Amino acid sequence: MTASAPAASPHVMNTYGRLPIALERGQGVHVWDVDGKQYIDALGGIAVNTVGHNHPKLVPALQEQIAKLIHSSNYYHVPLQEQLAAQLVERSGMTNVFFCNSGLEANEAALKLARKFGHDKGIDKPVVVVYEKAFHGRSIATLSATGNPKVQAGFGPLVEGFIRVPMNDIDAIRQATEGNPNVVAVFFETIQGEGGVNPMRIDYLQQLRQLCDERDWLMMIDEVQCGMGRTGKWFAHQWAGIVPDVMPLAKGLGSGVPIGAVVAGPKAANIFAPGNHGTTFGGNPLAMRAGVETIRIMEEDGLLQNAAVVGAHLKAALERELGGLPGVKEIRGQGLMLGVELTKPCGALVGRAAEAGLLLSVTADTVIRMVPSLILTQAEADEIVALLVPLVKALLAE
């Protein structure tokens, strides 16, 4: 056995507050660090590792693809792009797909679609409605759409053309856009991830769809974190029985291989023409194979149903153990996208949980976020609860 690599990265730019852990391998929902310590992974690579680690169906498929063709370029047709696009169109009820490499790129493309939609209608300065506490990425445009002053600080001037409104308040959006002919789109996450696992209400989503139809706006739903089966349906907005006009995806679509996608409905499907948008790596055969195989495994292994059932089990267990405790504000989310909001900052829990053998994150300062792989079993959910509950109780007692 080789000597373990140190958990330090002196030559890597210091952009993350990392834990002193270096992970070496994974199996299912467990991972091991270079020193051989085992963890249960309730973070799933931040909602990325849909089918867990080292999946027996995914790994051979990716090995086969690497031996055939990793990258070709978008000068040529990539048959796997058409295959994955057809699968996403079928499951979303939408029209076509643009492939890129990340959630940020998918959201950036959505914002370009909205602006071109406006320009095509003769609007010189198109405006997009976005939300408080939203997170859409860290490029200058997606940062501008994001509702977090902390991540925006130091990067002004931000891009103009956004109106910000609170969630779940249809009167607020009506007032904010009243008499403004430049509004072209509404852009939001069905369940905000980085913002603290904040779900949009079903009635609000339906009211928004109606408003977009009335005013000829694009409804653009960022499903980067809450999509790909995480809530028990392919896309979280489907619980409201609506269909968006534009839907950015990423994270879980490739089970760990970098991938992004923008799915468009009829209203947005033909806004981009050749030369309007592009990417070097986006849609390469390896990423496309990862997407195709992820969807295949999700269906063969019943992972949407599993996310719903095990997610409900995990949420009920958290409510039973933590609900009603002084200091626990709310337990919320759906499927395997859950947040436990405390009344005090709980960033310290990330390190303490790792010491106890549990990987999770804290977002919006006070929300414990769990987005494990969709293969999680009820027994593994119980394992998460058994590790987490004593840590939360100890923190609240301090």
Side-chain angles (χ1 to χ4, degrees), residues 181-227:
N182 295 329
V183 177
V184 293
V186 181
F187 188 35
F188 60 90
E189 302 150 275
T190 322
I191 304 173
Q192 291 181 337
E194 296 294 326
V197 192
N198 306 311
M200 289 219 172
R201 290 198 322 268
I202 281 178
D203 63 320
Y204 180 74
L205 289 166
Q206 292 164 341
Q207 290 167 335
L208 263 189
R209 179 68 271 182
Q210 198 176 345
L211 187 64
C212 288
D213 291 340
E214 280 170 21
R215 304 205 176 167
D216 193 32
W217 298 343
L218 293 177
M219 181 186 234
M220 308 202 305
I221 306 187
D222 174 349
E223 289 267 355
V224 166
Q225 192 165 143
C226 57

Side-chain angles (χ1 to χ4, degrees), residues 22 47 74 95 99 142 182 196 228 235 245 255 260 284 301 303 337 386:
N74 286 305
T95 307
F99 289 111
T142 57
N182 295 329
M228 289 315 296
F235 311 110
D245 301 303
S255 292
N284 75 55
D301 295 3
L303 295 189
M337 182 171 183

Side-chain angles (χ1 to χ4, degrees), residues 310-331:
V310 177
H313 175 85
L314 177 55
K315 192 177 182 188
L318 290 166
E319 281 167 346
R320 187 175 64 245
E321 297 291 332
L322 296 174
L325 281 187
V328 177
K329 190 171 175 184
E330 191 181 10
I331 296 161

Side-chain angles (χ1 to χ4, degrees), residues 31-264:
V31 289
W32 287 261
D33 67 19
V34 291
D35 299 318
K37 179 174 174 174
Q38 180 180 332
Y39 307 81
I40 186 163
D41 183 5
L43 190 58
I46 319 180
V48 166
N49 297 319
T50 302
V51 300
H53 303 278
N54 194 26
H55 194 284
K57 294 179 186 174
L58 181 66
V59 172
L62 295 183
Q63 288 171 330
E64 181 196 58
Q65 188 59 48
I66 285 170
K68 285 168 77 173
L69 191 63
I70 295 175
H71 179 81
S72 57
S73 118
N74 286 305
Y75 280 137
Y76 322 106
H77 288 277
V78 180
L80 283 163
Q81 281 188 24
E82 177 55 30
Q83 198 179 332
L84 182 55
Q87 294 190 355
L88 291 172
V89 163
E90 184 190 334
R91 284 155 187 79
S92 63
M94 296 168 74
T95 307
N96 60 15
V97 186
F98 171 83
F99 289 111
C100 49
N101 308 288
S102 66
L104 174 158
E105 287 182 33
N107 286 335
E108 186 91 18
L111 293 172
K112 282 182 70 174
L113 276 172
R115 286 194 168 185
K116 182 130 189 329
F117 176 72
H119 283 281
D120 290 349
K121 290 206 291 184
I123 297 169
D124 283 339
K125 292 197 169 180
V127 171
V128 175
V129 178
V130 291
Y131 283 78
E132 292 170 5
K133 299 184 181 175
F135 183 88
H136 297 295
R138 296 176 186 274
S139 66
I140 296 296
T142 57
L143 190 68
S144 305
T146 288
N148 182 343
K150 269 194 197 170
V151 301
Q152 292 172 332
F155 299 106
L158 296 175
V159 175
E160 59 183 29
F162 296 103
I163 293 174
R164 199 170 301 285
V165 298
M167 280 179 89
N168 292 320
D169 182 346
I170 201 70
D171 292 333
I173 187 171
R174 285 184 181 278
Q175 285 165 14
T177 58
E178 190 58 48
N180 187 337
N182 295 329
V183 177
V184 293
V186 181
F187 188 35
F188 60 90
E189 302 150 275
T190 322
I191 304 173
Q192 291 181 337
E194 296 294 326
V197 192
N198 306 311
M200 289 219 172
R201 290 198 322 268
I202 281 178
D203 63 320
Y204 180 74
L205 289 166
Q206 292 164 341
Q207 290 167 335
L208 263 189
R209 179 68 271 182
Q210 198 176 345
L211 187 64
C212 288
D213 291 340
E214 280 170 21
R215 304 205 176 167
D216 193 32
W217 298 343
L218 293 177
M219 181 186 234
M220 308 202 305
I221 306 187
D222 174 349
E223 289 267 355
V224 166
Q225 192 165 143
C226 57
M228 289 315 296
R230 184 146 293 281
T231 63
K233 287 194 186 287
W234 282 108
F235 311 110
H237 67 263
Q238 290 176 327
W239 292 100
I242 59 169
V243 181
D245 301 303
V246 178
M247 178 176 66
L249 299 172
K251 288 194 182 289
L253 178 55
S255 292
V257 177
I259 188 170
V262 185
V263 190

Side-chain angles (χ1 to χ4, degrees), residues 373-389:
S373 300
L374 305 192
I375 61 167
L376 190 78
T377 64
Q378 293 196 5
E380 289 161 345
D382 292 339
E383 197 182 327
I384 290 170
V385 174
L387 290 168
L388 179 62
V389 167

Side-chain angles (χ1 to χ4, degrees), residues 272-324:
F272 281 162
N276 287 152
H277 199 53
T279 164
T280 296
F281 294 109
N284 75 55
L286 179 61
M288 297 299 95
R289 184 71 185 269
V292 166
E293 298 296 338
T294 296
I295 290 174
R296 177 176 72 90
I297 294 164
M298 288 174 74
E299 294 199 319
E300 287 180 1
D301 295 3
L303 295 189
L304 273 75
Q305 172 77 0
N306 192 66
V309 171
V310 177
H313 175 85
L314 177 55
K315 192 177 182 188
L318 290 166
E319 281 167 346
R320 187 175 64 245
E321 297 291 332
L322 296 174

Side-chain angles (χ1 to χ4, degrees), residues 6-20:
S9 308
H11 294 89
V12 176
M13 204 177 281
N14 184 25
T15 54
Y16 307 102
R18 299 183 202 259
L19 295 177

